[in-house]
Amino acid sequence: MADRFMRTPCSFSAMVIVMLLFLTSASAGRIDQASAYQTCIVTPSSCINLSLVRNSLTGTLPTELGMLTSLITLNLGDNPLTGTLPSELGALTRATYMRVDTNQLAGTLPSELGTLISLRWTRFGYNQLTGPIPSEIGALTSLLSLQIISSRLTGTLPPQLGNLAQVTQLQLAGNQLTGTLPSELGALNTLQALLVCNNTGLCGDIPAGVTPSAQPSWGCETALEGTLLGSDCPTPPPTGSPSTGSPTLSPSS
């Protein structure tokens, strides 16, 4: 009964859903879980775990999530959540795991994510996120895995990614990224998997020291499939020259 109830689509409000989890956990005899959720209700600043994966949650992410300043795990994956990632997530400086993938989130990645100095694992992919990867991500020196697969990210890869000294996986496949791979990636001695396939705007050479993963995954036969790496990047037109990339529209009469 509790499982059926929790899978009913409902609008997301952090404290309301946590209260429901407390009630359903208590009724099912899961005392440890109930106690943890009760802590989130009574003293949000002491809440350490908020896991609402696959609960058919709808609506937007509330800014009040930033009140959970002791949070270590935030798992909101596999829900049809919409809206944007609130900048208040930057207040969760103790979080080590943040998963919001497989939703319908749009907008840009907030630069405030760069304050999450304890973060080790991230999953932001399978959304409708746009814009560039913030250079502030390079401040996450504890990060082991950065996953932003199958979204709509644009722009170039920031060279600050080369500051992720402990990262083992950079999974950025299936976006609309352009330009070259920054040479700074060659300094990532712990990097085991670089997945950038299906970014048709990436071009140029693979930086020295980078060994891309060739493991077939995420619809890619190789880590570089569908990119222009290994070929010369297009030469931009001289400053002041008319662009040939899109036609000039005449004003309507």
Side-chain angles (χ1 to χ4, degrees), residues 5-22:
F5 174 71
M6 287 308 300
R7 292 184 183 278
T8 301
C10 54
S11 182
F12 181 71
S13 173
M15 291 303 101
V16 171
I17 297 301
V18 171
M19 187 173 292
L20 292 176
L21 286 168
F22 164 68

Side-chain angles (χ1 to χ4, degrees), residues 38-53:
Q38 184 179 33
T39 298
C40 294
I41 297 168
V42 177
T43 54
S45 61
S46 298
C47 181
I48 62 172
N49 178 30
L50 185 58
S51 182
L52 303 172
V53 63

Side-chain angles (χ1 to χ4, degrees), residues 69-129:
T69 52
S70 294
L71 205 64
I72 294 175
T73 298
L74 177 64
N75 189 348
L76 305 175
D78 290 289
N79 288 292
L81 293 168
T82 56
T84 61
L85 290 171
S87 60
E88 287 78 4
L89 291 178
L92 308 182
T93 55
R94 297 185 182 181
T96 62
Y97 182 91
M98 185 173 290
R99 179 186 175 190
V100 294
D101 65 311
T102 319
N103 279 284
Q104 299 172 25
L105 298 171
T108 60
L109 291 166
S111 61
E112 288 81 1
L113 294 176
T115 65
L116 303 178
I117 57 175
S118 301
L119 203 58
R120 296 178 71 79
W121 297 276
T122 66
R123 294 178 67 176
F124 295 121
Y126 299 104
N127 279 295
Q128 300 170 25
L129 300 171

Side-chain angles (χ1 to χ4, degrees), residues 5-253:
F5 174 71
M6 287 308 300
R7 292 184 183 278
T8 301
C10 54
S11 182
F12 181 71
S13 173
M15 291 303 101
V16 171
I17 297 301
V18 171
M19 187 173 292
L20 292 176
L21 286 168
F22 164 68
L23 293 174
T24 54
S25 297
S27 65
R30 296 192 291 269
I31 304 303
D32 290 343
Q33 286 186 10
S35 177
Y37 292 130
Q38 184 179 33
T39 298
C40 294
I41 297 168
V42 177
T43 54
S45 61
S46 298
C47 181
I48 62 172
N49 178 30
L50 185 58
S51 182
L52 303 172
V53 63
R54 300 187 191 94
N55 272 292
S56 300
L57 300 176
T58 60
T60 61
L61 295 178
T63 59
E64 288 81 3
L65 284 172
M67 296 169 53
L68 308 179
T69 52
S70 294
L71 205 64
I72 294 175
T73 298
L74 177 64
N75 189 348
L76 305 175
D78 290 289
N79 288 292
L81 293 168
T82 56
T84 61
L85 290 171
S87 60
E88 287 78 4
L89 291 178
L92 308 182
T93 55
R94 297 185 182 181
T96 62
Y97 182 91
M98 185 173 290
R99 179 186 175 190
V100 294
D101 65 311
T102 319
N103 279 284
Q104 299 172 25
L105 298 171
T108 60
L109 291 166
S111 61
E112 288 81 1
L113 294 176
T115 65
L116 303 178
I117 57 175
S118 301
L119 203 58
R120 296 178 71 79
W121 297 276
T122 66
R123 294 178 67 176
F124 295 121
Y126 299 104
N127 279 295
Q128 300 170 25
L129 300 171
T130 57
I133 298 173
S135 60
E136 290 82 359
I137 294 290
L140 306 182
T141 54
S142 295
L143 198 63
L144 299 177
S145 175
L146 176 64
Q147 187 263 63
I148 321 176
I149 289 175
S150 293
S151 286
R152 300 175 183 177
L153 299 179
T154 57
T156 60
L157 294 179
Q160 289 83 357
L161 291 179
N163 297 331
L164 303 178
Q166 299 187 54
V167 74
T168 61
Q169 298 188 40
L170 287 176
Q171 303 171 10
L172 305 171
N175 285 285
Q176 300 170 26
L177 298 169
T178 57
T180 61
L181 296 182
S183 60
E184 288 81 358
L185 296 183
L188 299 178
N189 298 325
T190 59
L191 187 62
Q192 299 173 8
L194 172 67
L195 199 68
V196 292
C197 62
N198 293 330
N199 283 286
T200 55
L202 288 178
C203 56
D205 297 324
I206 300 171
V210 173
T211 304
S213 169
Q215 180 179 356
S217 54
W218 295 283
C220 308
E221 290 301 319
T222 71
L224 303 179
E225 178 186 348
T227 73
L228 299 177
L229 289 175
S231 62
D232 293 334
C233 293
T235 302
T239 303
S241 298
S243 172
T244 60
S246 57
T248 302
L249 299 179
S250 300
S252 56
S253 54

